[in-house]
Amino acid sequence: MLAERRHQLILRALRSGGPAAVTDLSEQLGVSPATIRRDLVRLEEEGLLTRVHGGAVVDEGDQPFAEVAEVRVAEKDAIAAKAASMVRDGQSVLLDIGTTAYRLARQLHGRRLTVITSNLVVYEELADDEGIELVLLGGMVRREYRSLVGFLTEDNLRQLHADWLFLGTSGVRPGGQVMDTTVVEVPVKRAMIRAGDKVVLLADSAKFPGTGMARVCGPGELDVLVTNGSLDPGTRSSFEDAGVDVVTV
């Protein structure tokens, strides 16, 4: 079994049943306890779980959106302002989940646009702006992440097209691979990429390399990267070789 698949199953087991022992996970996945311990170390380094004596636990509190929203606000606002300047009135904009997309939504007030989103905070921000035609995708509500996910969300996206997709990420690997820590969000992000004419990745400097065990896409599926940090030469080359316009604010 590939490590990425094991990681998904470990997190699923922890979220469904609370704390789990190394021995139990070993039996469930058919691998050695030593392999499980290495997996738990890796997942803890990525901030996805907390190791406890003999096993691990996942915190399923409301931390994800509420706390992240208060981090690196100035950097996100600079990225959001640049992203907003790319959009012309009359165009359609698809906004991903996450806090940077929310900061971008705040920059769109007063514009004549169509905004499509599965981000509940974006919806709440723009709901009273009569100049914006607002499309809220259906799906299952993930309260702690303030998002909508699942096959209904993906099916909605198959019926839509947007001039712009502004995509968030948990982290970007040195080779330009866009990652996410939340496996259930990945199919929605991929459906968004297929629905967007121009795909713009919004990633502040903390996202390099950032975290994430699930691959969303490679650099070849992006058109623009907007960031506030200087990229290492290898990462920049990965994007530029794929034809991505790297914009630093």
Side-chain angles (χ1 to χ4, degrees):
M1 184 186 298
L2 294 175
E4 182 175 307
R5 178 60 176 163
R6 282 201 315 276
H7 293 173
Q8 293 175 7
L9 294 175
I10 288 169
L11 290 171
R12 183 182 300 172
L14 292 172
R15 287 172 177 144
S16 63
V22 168
T23 52
D24 293 337
L25 292 169
S26 174
E27 292 176 2
Q28 289 176 33
L29 301 184
V31 297
S32 69
T35 297
I36 293 296
R37 290 189 188 95
R38 287 194 294 270
D39 289 339
L40 296 181
V41 169
R42 177 65 180 274
L43 290 169
E44 185 175 52
E45 288 173 349
E46 295 182 348
L48 297 175
L49 55 75
T50 300
R51 286 186 297 153
V52 297
H53 181 67
V57 63
V58 171
D59 179 7
E60 285 290 287
D62 292 336
Q63 181 268 338
F65 194 96
E67 292 191 7
V68 175
E70 303 301 322
V71 176
R72 300 185 300 278
V73 173
E75 292 89 340
K76 293 172 185 177
D77 279 342
I79 291 169
K82 181 61 180 179
S85 72
M86 299 177 180
V87 181
R88 300 191 307 274
D89 280 1
Q91 291 189 316
S92 54
V93 177
L94 181 54
L95 294 184
D96 193 10
I97 68 160
T99 58
T100 306
Y102 162 61
R103 304 309 300 188
L104 172 53
R106 291 170 60 92
Q107 301 275 350
L108 299 179
H109 281 296
R111 304 285 300 276
R112 186 173 58 83
L113 301 168
T114 298
V115 174
I116 307 163
T117 192
S118 61
N119 188 326
L120 292 172
V121 184
V122 167
Y123 166 77
E124 291 164 1
E125 177 67 28
L126 298 177
D128 294 330
D129 193 321
E130 296 182 359
I132 291 178
E133 185 173 349
L134 189 56
V135 179
L136 181 63
L137 299 168
M140 179 180 294
V141 177
R142 301 191 73 231
R143 291 177 176 84
E144 70 274 23
Y145 286 92
R146 307 302 306 279
S147 65
L148 295 157
V149 297
F151 75 92
L152 292 173
T153 319
E154 296 163 46
D155 188 57
N156 284 176
L157 285 163
R158 282 191 285 270
Q159 301 176 59
L160 297 169
H161 176 269
D163 295 306
W164 295 91
L165 163 62
F166 292 100
L167 185 70
T169 180
S170 299
V172 181
R173 298 298 190 211
Q177 302 300 312
V178 179
M179 310 297 291
D180 201 274
T181 59
T182 310
V183 175
V184 72
E185 299 282 1
V186 172
V188 175
K189 288 176 179 283
R190 290 175 178 169
M192 286 183 171
I193 290 170
R194 291 190 291 270
D197 187 21
K198 294 287 187 181
V199 180
V200 183
L201 179 65
L202 308 179
D204 64 67
S205 57
K207 303 300 176 65
F208 297 91
T211 59
M213 67 173 181
R215 179 184 181 275
V216 176
C217 69
E221 295 167 87
L222 305 174
D223 295 288
V224 184
L225 164 65
V226 182
T227 184
N228 68 305
S230 58
L231 305 183
D232 68 83
T235 302
R236 177 175 285 274
S237 293
S238 296
F239 282 110
E240 292 179 345
D241 290 347
V244 178
D245 182 15
V246 178
V247 177
T248 304
V249 297

